[in-house]
């Protein structure tokens, strides 16, 4: 196909912002194109020379364009630059200056020449590139040159995104978007629309089914839907795998022997930023070829605790990489496997993929398999969730055990349950301490790490639990608190305390603390408001304000009735959620 034909289509596309018209123009172009032309057409219309994940810099900027135009036309470079100043676009300048008839070059020839310019390197590069571009321009008409220059300069401004291209491909065959789904599936698997279009054009839509994940081609990542609660997860998935939701950077790792590449969530290559992960995969992943996914997280090498996202993200840098590698070492918590030892495993169930993942990872400093429990018990899930929140993680991920890896899909095969960050409750809650849980990790040295806290049920005159809380006290306050509580320890669950959760140490309901929470949720493990038929209520993501409220008696604590009111109020404002 002649380049002039692509030029005509681009001119048509330029005239409209209507998606349907754009799709129709593209469809006609795709219909007329041969299988060999179609990939270059797609890359060029998207101002590229190949798929987005492997960017090839055109190496043509304004200065080089001006030089080449001067050379091609014999005009004075300053005059050309002056024209550019008024027009703001070398495409238009070229169109005005070039008077040839053109229409001699094919799309493939133009594409090959642009590729030649892009890959020219070494001594005298600028000269050589200028000559190649000038020679190309000489063969073009003004209209053709307009686009040939706009493409490398990123000036097409057509806004043709992947969805429009995919729809155009479908339209080119059926006149509607019915084939978009199989085209998109293929694209999600290989991330190369040019390659997908070539196969579609030469072998038809059925051939797209055969496209498999391939080491070196990033795969659009599977995403998660949201759940409202642990019960919601169980209702949707039944028995499922529960993992911590680590708050770091998603990494898709492609291993081909010692060649290891890392892609980010938006499929940019980030290999150079994470040499420690590259090294870790080489050492600890025992398949010769593989695609695995995980979350990269900075951690405190002394305590082993994971660090917050804001810290991990400091590793996303282009400079001082080695210094930061030492300062902020990363771990990769692997959670999925897409390919191993020559085989696409995306069609296996999650359970099988996970078993393979475990098989291939050997112990070491960098790679770990993400923690996982398999359960269908909402209470166990809630407990796991609270534990992770207390350790500063974002929440949990639930995964359907028999789900295939669906590239690019967001559905209920993966479900996230996150703590909320915005305090929705305007009121604070006064609760009574009824027990404590010994510390783990950093808190072990205090012998106390969290409190079991109740509200007052004034009808029954008892204390019903509403939360476990471990946030808000300082390192100085924890030992003080323990000293006070150890004076009122109870051997058994105190008679007036209604609880399903059993703390490490029961205490007499005596001390009141004030708490701020994000919201009130329904709960299977707390007893506030719970009846034989009704779930209880709990505070979501509570933190203590101040220390002990010496001015309050346990019976002055917030009552169950008030908690119910707060829940209702929050319901009316439509904010019964545990999402951000
Ligand atoms: P979100 O970005 O809130 O939609 O949550 C999805 C992200 O959570 C993924 O893209 C991962 O980066 C991250 N994540 C953390 N832990 C896990 C896990 N165990 N399984 C899957 N994704 C995880």
């Amino acid at each position: 196909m002649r380049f002039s034909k692509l030029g005509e289509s681009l001119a048509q596309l330029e005239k409209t912002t209507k998606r349907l018209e754009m799709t129709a123009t593209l469809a006609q172009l795709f219909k007329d194109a041969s299988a060999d032309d179609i990939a270059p057409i797609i890359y060029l219309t998207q101002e590229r020379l190949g798929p987005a994940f492997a960017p090839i810099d055109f190496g043509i900027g304004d200065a080089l364009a001006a030089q080449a135009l001067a050379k091609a036309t014999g005009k004075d470079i300053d005059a050309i630059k002056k024209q550019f100043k008024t027009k703001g676009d070398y495409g238009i300048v070229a169109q005005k200056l070039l008077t040839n008839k053109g229409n001699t070059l094919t799309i493939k020839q133009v594409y090959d020449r642009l590729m030649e310019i892009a890959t020219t390197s070494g001594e005298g590069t600028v000269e050589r590139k200028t000559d190649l571009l000038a020679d190309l321009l000489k063969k073009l008409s003004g209209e053709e040159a307009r686009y040939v220059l706009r493409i490398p300069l990123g000036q097409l401004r057509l806004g043709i995104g992947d969805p429009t291209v995919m729809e155009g491909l479908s339209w080119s065959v059926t006149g509607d978007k019915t084939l978009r789904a199989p085209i998109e599936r293929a694209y999600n698997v290989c991330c190369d629309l040019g390659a997908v279009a070539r196969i579609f054009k030469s072998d038809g839509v059925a051939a797209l089914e055969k496209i498999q994940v391939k080491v070196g081609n990033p795969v659009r990542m599977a995403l998660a839907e949201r759940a409202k609660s642990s019960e919601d997860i169980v209702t949707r998935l039944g028995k499922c795998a529960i993992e911590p939701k680590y708050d770091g950077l998603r990494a898709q790792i492609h291993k081909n022997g010692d060649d290891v590449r890392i892609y980010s969530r938006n499929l940019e290559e980030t290999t150079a930023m994470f040499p420690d992960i590259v090294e870790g995969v080489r050492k600890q992943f025992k398949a010769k070829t593989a695609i695995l996914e995980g979350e990269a997280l900075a951690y405190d090498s002394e305590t082993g605790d994971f660090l917050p996202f804001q810290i991990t993200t400091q590793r996303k840098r282009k400079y001082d990489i080695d210094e930061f590698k030492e300062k902020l070492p990363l771990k990769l918590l692997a959670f999925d496997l897409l390919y191993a030892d020559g085989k696409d495993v995306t069609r296996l169930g999650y359970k099988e993929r996970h078993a393979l993942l475990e098989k291939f990872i050997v112990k070491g400093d960098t790679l770990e398999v993400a923690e996982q429990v398999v359960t269908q018990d909402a209470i166990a899930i809630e407990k796991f969730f609270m534990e992770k929140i207390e350790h500063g993680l974002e929440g949990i991920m639930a995964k359907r055990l028999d789900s295939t890896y669906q590239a690019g899909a967001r559905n209920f095969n993966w479900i996230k349950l996150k703590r909320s960050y915005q305090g929705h409750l305007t009121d604070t809650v006064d609760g009574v301490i009824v027990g404590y849980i010994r510390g783990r990790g950093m808190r072990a040295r205090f012998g106390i790490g969290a409190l079991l806290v109740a509200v007052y049920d004034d009808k029954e005159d008892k204390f019903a639990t509403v939360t476990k809380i471990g946030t808000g006290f300082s390192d100085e306050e924890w030992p003080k608190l323990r000293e006070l509580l150890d004076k009122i320890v109870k051997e058994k669950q105190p008679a007036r305390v209604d609880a399903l959760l059993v703390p490490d140490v029961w205490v007499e309901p005596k001390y009141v603390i004030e708490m701020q929470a994000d919201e009130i949720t329904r709960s299977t493990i707390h007893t506030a408001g719970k009846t034989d038929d009704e779930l209880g209520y709990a505070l979501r993501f509570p933190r203590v304000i101040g220390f002990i409220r010496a001015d309050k008696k346990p019976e002055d604590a917030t009552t169950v009735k008030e908690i119910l009111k707060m829940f209702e109020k929050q319901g009316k404002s439509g904010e019964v959620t545990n999402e951000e």
Side-chain angles (χ1 to χ4, degrees), residues 243-246 250 265 295 335 397 399 416 418:
E243 297 167 3
K245 185 173 190 305
Y246 303 103
R250 176 97 169 247
R265 161 87 173 257
E295 193 83 350
F335 51 72
M397 279 286 208
K399 300 187 175 169
K416 60 187 171 188
K418 294 210 271 189

Side-chain angles (χ1 to χ4, degrees), residues 100-112:
N100 288 340
K101 249 176 82 228
N103 201 19
T104 54
L105 296 184
T106 63
I107 292 172
K108 189 76 177 41
Q109 284 169 322
V110 172
Y111 173 86
D112 287 346

